[in-house]
Amino acid sequence: MADICDQIIESIEAARRNREPLSIVAGASKRFLGRTSNGSPLEVAAHEGIVSYEPGELVLAARAGTRLTEIEATLAERGQALQFEPPSFDGAATIGGTLACNMSGPARPWSGSVRDAVLGIELVTGRAERLRFGGRVMKNVAGFDVSRLQAGALGAFGVITEVSLKVLPRPRHTVTLVRALDAADAIVHMNKLAGTAKPMSGACWHDGSLYVRFSGAESAVEAAAGQRGGERLDPAATSRRSEAHARDTANGATRRRIRSAAKRSTRRRLRSAANRQTMQPRSGGTWPSIGSSISGPAHRSGASRFRRRRRYRGSTANGSSTGAAHSAGFTATSTRTNSNAWRNRRAAT
Amino acid sequence: MSSTAPEAAKAELVRRLRDLVAPEFVIEDAETKRPYECDALPIYRELPMLVVLPESVEQVQSVMRLCHDEGVPVIARGAGTGLSAGALPSPAAVVLSLARLDRILEIDPLARTARVQPGVRNLAISEAAARYGLFYGPDPSSQIACSIGGNVAENSGGVHCLKYGLTVHNVLRAEVIDVSGERFVAGSEGLDAAGFDLMALVTGSEGLLGVVTEITVRLLPTPETAQVIMAAFDSVSLAGDAVGAVIAAGIVPAGLEMMDGHAIRAAEAFAQAGYPTDASALLLCEIDGTAEEVAEHCGRVERMFGELGAISTRTSRNEAERALFWKGRKSAFPAVGRISPDYYCMDGTIPRGRIAEVLTEIDRMAENYGLRVANVFHAGDGNLHPLILFDANVPGEFEKADEFGGRILELCVAVGGCITGEHGVGIEKLRQMPAQFTDSELEQLHAVKRAFDPSGKLNPGKSVPTLRQCQEYRTLARTRESAPTGPSSAPPSRTLSRMRKSST
Ligand SMILES: Cc1cc2nc3c(=O)[nH]c(=O)nc-3n(C[C@H](O)[C@H](O)[C@H](O)COP(=O)(O)OP(=O)(O)OC[C@H]3O[C@@H](n4cnc5c(N)ncnc54)[C@H](O)[C@@H]3O)c2cc1C
Ligand SMILES: Cc1cc2nc3c(=O)[nH]c(=O)nc-3n(C[C@H](O)[C@H](O)[C@H](O)COP(=O)(O)OP(=O)(O)OC[C@H]3O[C@@H](n4cnc5c(N)ncnc54)[C@H](O)[C@@H]3O)c2cc1C
């Protein structure tokens, strides 16, 4: 339990004075996401600890460096859980990194993502200002939704120092069914099933098998599961599989093509809105300061980053060219490297 | 261009707009402009310079380009049911009504999404989706009238948001025309998109960041069945505690609403829903899901209410009875309208555990102000809607109600809540923004605005107060504090007096 916010602010001030880029590092669990950053590391994992937890309110607030495992253990004592089932990456993942990378797990289509669960944040911007947005109540529409803007921004707007979240009661009963099915049929089957009012909480096709999970009131889960064919899966196996799947899909998701996004000038202004003085691009160079993130940089919004990445596919450079191309960064090479790393890691566990 | 700008410039603008949009849809004369002078908070009124009603996205885009080139402010408008004067016109501005963009473009039952234009009414989406066994989750009480574009702009909620989420949880993608007439896309058809979450930023942005021209929403499977448990209590504290207990027990009701004595009696007189009129508080708790789930949870909730001191509980036995239980709640606003010449609806949120305490404090304040308050609200979300009853024909009474309302919102912030849960800041709550945000935080919000709209021409003056305004509000608040015995004689803020003057 430590509050190192003042230290974080000092580091940012120093970086700002020296016009130096920073790379925010927490659990370093998601290096596979995004490209390698060229900022000097700003370690935030020590800024940790649950700040408040009121089970009756279904609200938990924690410093950004708090490990998901700690949060989940605390919630479990009161029969509650993070509804978005984030991957905890062998215990290394922090709540700040999870939000910055917008990481959710198998329940995401039914009970929402980390972005959906966020109620408020504290943020230290690139101008070293400590700001709070949102709060600890279920509904809040005063001002722009700066809290949810952090989801997937990979730290581009500043260091998230505190996150408050809506938590939910752990489902009383869960059953996972598995049956062999080919991918095309599985997708249609899953979508059809999701269109019925059954207490579903997960669906996944992996390696020739379709997994469907039901959670909720025992009577409802048993009734829904009873109507469907398939073998019941041992719960421990399910959680191991979903972790592996998370790593797979995290890369998959970033590869998704996006047709269009906000104008570049809007994105640039938005970014500099949080980092005005330190985030000015040097001519043909990098973005000094908090342009980088827990696991990779966010010089560009995903859209253009990935557009560029497609254009530069096959380039061996990892962000070494100049100007716009530089920020393409996330090259085919880095993906390959990452997936290798991931494979090795999985083999090791 | 301002209201004093030469008529010639205005005539030229009208001529050019009429080249872009059919002439009858560029409204110039005061009488035809009249319906656009306010939203559903008519204490703020102002006639716009012009009203333009484009019929296509291309027309929206060309109108935006023209206004941008001419430096004319633009105020987007949906159905005008907003409760914070978000769509309030100004004499120098063009009101851009999205009402004619009212087509449901596509429903994809397999993907469970609907692609719609912004002028589509909220309820129309659920009606169109019903044939596929699907519905759109957020259901504001205004759903027969309000537009989905307005819902996105306000991040609207509703009775069923406790379980199904707010607008921000149910919108996947939006096409937006920015201030210069350029189109951008926020979100994606998938659940999560790479890059900045512009969808979150656009949702609830009150028309300050862009004009939403197309929306893709998620549709949810219609629950197999639903039942409502109605529980009466003889104190608001007991009912408040019961709300907390249901939530803490791990049951997520589809809706959990509370009414106090005033609201119960008004609603019962209006709707004959069978409410116990001698009760001090009433809870309506809807459970939906599969038949098994509903049976299991209804039993648990009913027992829990009994143990927590309910004087009576009833569970709806069929659809007709369920509809009847809701009828009283859904008509509570108009019902209250019958027991008082005017009412003013507040929208603060608080931690659920503080409901009883805050309601008691509001009662005490009401006594000080010599005004009555009826409470009917989304208890499960901690979203209060105190209705301050007053008579606008009694001199000074509106000012009293207005000041009292402000104090309620400040009380919400003081117990850890916020000034608006779903109605937005608009013009109405600008004065309470400094209670919730510091100057640097407000400056950050302005910076976000500038990133999208550097010239500040989209719905200017709404949602985020300038730092100068804040200073003024703080001074006013201090004046009030130094006269703690009751309502102060401090004049209403300048914004308000300006708005009010133009309404008379
Ligand atoms: C970090 C992260 C962790 C995740 N963890 C899990 C998890 O543990 N378990 C889980 O079930 N989901 C998980 N998901 C969600 C799920 O993987 C995605 O919704 C889906 O795989 C979309 O992947 P895509 O964008 O690459 O596929 P797209 O090409 O965009 O998908 C096209 C269609 O195919 C479907 N589809 C794609 N891949 C699969 C698949 N493997 N199984 C079933 N349908 C698929 C999609 O839902 C979509 O309808 C996770 C997502 C992320 C981002
Ligand atoms: C009786 C009654 C009950 C209500 N109940 C609820 C409730 O339960 N929950 C709730 O949340 N609200 C409720 N409201 C408030 C209101 O209905 C909502 O805020 C609604 O979303 C407003 O939609 P509208 O189309 O009427 O928008 P308008 O009032 O026309 O506009 C509202 C704001 O949105 C902006 N806007 C509108 N359309 C667009 C667009 N296409 N692009 C960009 N900006 C746009 C406007 O500039 C303005 O700032 C209620 C109102 C009434 C009168």
Side-chain angles (χ1 to χ4, degrees):
Chain A
M1 269 295 260
D3 181 342
I4 61 155
C5 197
D6 290 340
Q7 233 168 289
I8 293 174
I9 292 174
E10 270 169 41
S11 308
I12 296 176
E13 273 169 350
R16 202 180 136 197
R17 272 194 306 275
N18 306 331
R19 301 187 65 75
E20 234 190 312
L22 288 174
S23 173
I24 309 164
V25 182
S29 68
K30 291 181 269 292
R31 289 243 152 99
F32 61 87
L33 192 76
R35 71 175 175 92
T36 316
S37 166
N38 53 11
S40 47
L42 173 61
E43 302 277 352
V44 299
H47 188 61
E48 54 96 34
I50 292 169
V51 188
S52 82
Y53 173 38
E54 291 183 59
E57 293 288 337
L58 304 181
V59 177
L60 178 139
R63 295 196 187 98
T66 315
R67 306 262 162 148
L68 291 179
T69 44
E70 184 191 335
I71 293 176
E72 277 163 341
T74 305
L75 293 171
E77 282 170 23
R78 306 300 297 263
Q80 298 184 341
L82 296 173
Q83 70 209 64
F84 50 95
E85 302 187 327
S88 64
F89 298 106
D90 305 326
T94 64
I95 187 62
T98 300
L99 176 59
C101 297
N102 194 23
M103 285 260 166
S104 308
R108 195 262 172 262
W110 290 272
S111 35
S113 59
V114 57
R115 171 259 202 199
D116 292 332
V118 165
L119 299 174
I121 53 151
E122 185 189 69
L123 184 75
V124 180
T125 66
R127 282 171 303 187
E129 278 184 320
R130 188 174 182 169
L131 308 177
R132 277 185 177 274
F133 296 97
R136 295 180 189 173
V137 282
M138 294 299 129
K139 293 165 83 176
N140 184 350
V141 296
F144 304 119
D145 198 341
V146 178
S147 310
R148 291 201 171 89
L149 181 61
Q150 307 311 318
L154 301 176
F157 298 115
V159 178
I160 302 165
T161 47
E162 195 183 304
V163 181
S164 50
L165 293 164
K166 176 181 178 177
V167 300
L168 274 188
R170 186 183 278 279
R172 287 200 150 189
H173 192 66
T174 294
V175 169
T176 301
L177 299 176
V178 54
R179 67 188 246 210
L181 208 62
D182 71 43
D185 287 345
I187 288 174
V188 172
H189 185 85
M190 278 188 275
N191 277 308
K192 282 204 174 135
L193 191 55
T196 64
K198 296 297 173 197
M200 269 179 90
S201 65
C204 173
W205 182 84
H206 185 73
D207 217 7
S209 296
L210 171 66
Y211 300 80
V212 176
R213 188 176 65 173
F214 298 98
S215 309
E218 180 166 357
S219 52
V221 168
E222 287 300 331
Q227 288 161 16
R228 242 144 280 277
E231 185 194 328
R232 289 189 181 220
L233 199 71
D234 147 42
T238 323
S239 76
R240 275 198 305 276
R241 197 177 300 272
S242 75
E243 180 121 332
H245 179 65
R247 293 177 205 212
D248 261 342
T249 47
N251 275 324
T254 52
R255 238 175 278 137
R256 194 177 303 156
R257 188 162 51 88
I258 292 184
R259 227 172 289 146
S260 162
K263 258 196 323 204
R264 225 174 112 186
S265 60
T266 303
R267 294 195 311 264
R268 181 169 38 72
R269 283 196 300 266
L270 194 57
R271 211 161 35 229
S272 60
N275 299 288
R276 193 154 345 112
Q277 275 125 57
T278 41
M279 281 289 290
Q280 295 311 312
R282 279 189 211 128
S283 51
T286 57
W287 299 82
S289 175
I290 314 201
S292 14
S293 70
I294 315 292
S295 56
H299 294 172
R300 317 227 135 247
S301 88
S304 82
R305 194 152 30 112
F306 304 130
R307 250 195 324 267
R308 281 174 201 290
R309 188 179 153 268
R310 280 156 44 84
R311 196 174 320 147
Y312 291 95
R313 173 163 298 176
S315 141
T316 49
N318 192 3
S320 62
S321 34
T322 56
H326 162 81
S327 32
F330 192 56
T331 60
T333 319
S334 65
T335 311
R336 215 159 32 235
T337 316
N338 285 328
S339 52
N340 281 338
W342 165 71
R343 237 173 264 127
N344 295 339
R345 233 159 138 184
R346 191 169 59 164
T349 51
Chain B
M1 203 177 294
S2 78
S3 54
T4 57
E7 284 301 303
K10 180 177 162 187
E12 173 62 11
L13 183 68
V14 170
R15 194 190 60 72
R16 292 176 64 190
L17 282 169
R18 287 192 170 144
D19 283 346
L20 302 173
V21 178
E24 67 270 33
F25 292 111
V26 179
I27 303 172
E28 217 188 337
D29 69 290
E31 267 335 287
T32 323
K33 281 192 300 193
R34 189 72 61 197
Y36 298 90
E37 70 178 353
C38 63
D39 61 9
L41 185 64
I43 48 173
Y44 300 99
R45 291 171 200 267
E46 192 92 74
L47 279 180
M49 174 170 66
L50 297 169
V51 178
V52 181
L53 295 98
E55 70 162 348
S56 66
V57 178
E58 292 68 34
Q59 287 187 358
V60 172
Q61 213 164 356
S62 53
V63 169
M64 292 301 292
R65 269 196 213 110
L66 175 58
C67 291
H68 182 66
D69 291 347
E70 298 303 319
V72 176
V74 176
I75 296 162
R77 183 185 173 97
T81 68
L83 285 172
S84 54
L88 179 77
S90 83
V94 164
V95 165
L96 182 73
S97 165
L98 282 310
R100 295 174 71 212
L101 276 77
D102 62 351
R103 280 182 304 136
I104 294 179
L105 301 170
E106 187 189 354
I107 291 186
D108 183 339
L110 193 60
R112 285 152 279 122
T113 59
R115 202 158 58 80
V116 302
Q117 290 192 312
V120 171
R121 288 174 309 112
N122 172 295
L123 187 60
I125 302 176
S126 288
E127 284 170 352
R131 87 184 77 133
Y132 305 108
L134 302 170
F135 75 108
Y136 174 63
D139 57 342
S141 307
S142 52
Q143 69 179 151
I144 51 166
C146 65
S147 74
I148 184 72
N151 291 174
V152 171
E154 299 286 13
N155 190 13
S156 298
V159 164
H160 288 94
C161 286
L162 183 56
K163 181 166 178 182
Y164 298 113
L166 309 167
T167 304
V168 70
H169 301 116
N170 288 279
V171 170
L172 293 173
R173 176 181 184 274
E175 293 190 14
V176 186
I177 306 295
D178 78 5
V179 69
S180 65
E182 262 193 69
R183 173 181 164 278
F184 71 88
V185 174
S188 76
E189 278 135 34
L191 291 175
D192 296 298
F196 294 150
D197 194 340
L198 299 182
M199 197 59 246
L201 210 48
V202 166
T203 309
S205 64
E206 303 193 16
L208 266 73
L209 304 184
V211 178
V212 179
T213 52
E214 188 187 301
I215 300 133
T216 305
V217 300
R218 294 181 75 180
L219 299 173
L220 303 169
T222 311
E224 283 174 10
T225 181
Q227 272 181 301
V228 179
I229 303 132
M230 174 166 88
F233 293 83
D234 55 18
S235 84
V236 287
S237 322
L238 283 177
D241 293 343
V243 169
V246 171
I247 301 292
I251 294 170
V252 183
L256 180 50
E257 301 282 306
M258 181 164 158
M259 299 164 85
D260 71 2
H262 285 306
I264 297 168
R265 285 182 286 280
E268 180 58 19
F270 190 88
Q272 289 89 45
Y275 294 170
T277 50
D278 53 344
S280 300
L282 192 72
L283 293 181
L284 292 172
C285 179
E286 179 159 294
I287 304 288
D288 70 6
T290 63
E292 302 86 10
E293 196 174 6
V294 171
E296 183 175 329
H297 283 167
C298 278
R300 280 176 67 198
V301 170
E302 204 174 334
R303 272 195 305 280
M304 212 182 305
F305 284 159
E307 284 157 19
L308 291 166
I311 46 179
S312 69
T313 58
R314 275 175 66 191
T315 300
S316 64
R317 284 158 302 183
N318 49 46
E319 271 306 287
E321 201 169 51
R322 184 174 79 91
L324 186 66
F325 284 2
W326 277 121
K327 189 175 165 211
R329 163 63 184 93
K330 292 204 168 162
S331 51
F333 284 22
V336 165
R338 292 211 311 196
I339 62 166
S340 170
D342 298 285
Y343 67 85
Y344 194 12
C345 175
M346 295 293 116
D347 179 41
T349 63
I350 55 170
R352 290 172 276 228
R354 313 287 293 262
I355 289 176
E357 173 195 339
V358 169
L359 292 185
T360 310
E361 177 61 17
I362 290 177
D363 261 350
R364 199 194 58 77
M365 286 158 73
E367 230 162 86
N368 266 355
Y369 279 93
L371 294 169
R372 288 179 301 161
V373 177
N375 280 291
V376 38
F377 62 97
H378 312 304
D381 284 328
N383 189 181
L384 303 181
H385 283 327
L387 303 175
I388 304 173
L389 312 185
F390 71 101
D391 183 350
N393 289 325
V394 176
E397 201 149 272
F398 167 73
E399 284 72 12
K400 236 172 29 174
D402 187 46
E403 188 185 307
F404 179 19
R407 286 202 150 183
I408 292 177
L409 300 187
E410 286 154 21
L411 171 65
C412 292
V413 175
V415 301
C418 78
I419 61 172
T420 173
E422 56 184 23
H423 295 166
V425 175
I427 286 283
E428 185 208 12
K429 299 178 199 78
L430 283 176
R431 282 167 301 155
Q432 279 73 44
M433 285 292 274
Q436 195 175 324
F437 294 100
T438 64
D439 281 0
S440 350
E441 286 155 1
L442 291 169
E443 178 43 36
Q444 186 63 64
L445 296 177
H446 282 296
V448 171
K449 163 75 169 163
R450 282 193 299 271
F452 285 81
D453 177 14
S455 57
K457 292 291 185 207
L458 259 179
N459 211 4
K462 310 281 173 61
S463 185
V464 190
T466 63
L467 300 186
R468 256 192 55 221
Q469 279 173 313
C470 292
Q471 239 169 15
E472 191 182 331
Y473 302 150
R474 289 199 186 99
T475 313
L476 271 174
R478 272 195 300 274
T479 328
R480 229 175 35 200
E481 271 153 27
S482 58
T485 43
S488 79
S489 53
S493 83
R494 213 174 26 188
T495 328
L496 185 64
S497 48
R498 178 162 49 77
M499 299 300 168
R500 296 262 304 152
K501 212 160 46 217
S502 66
S503 73
T504 46

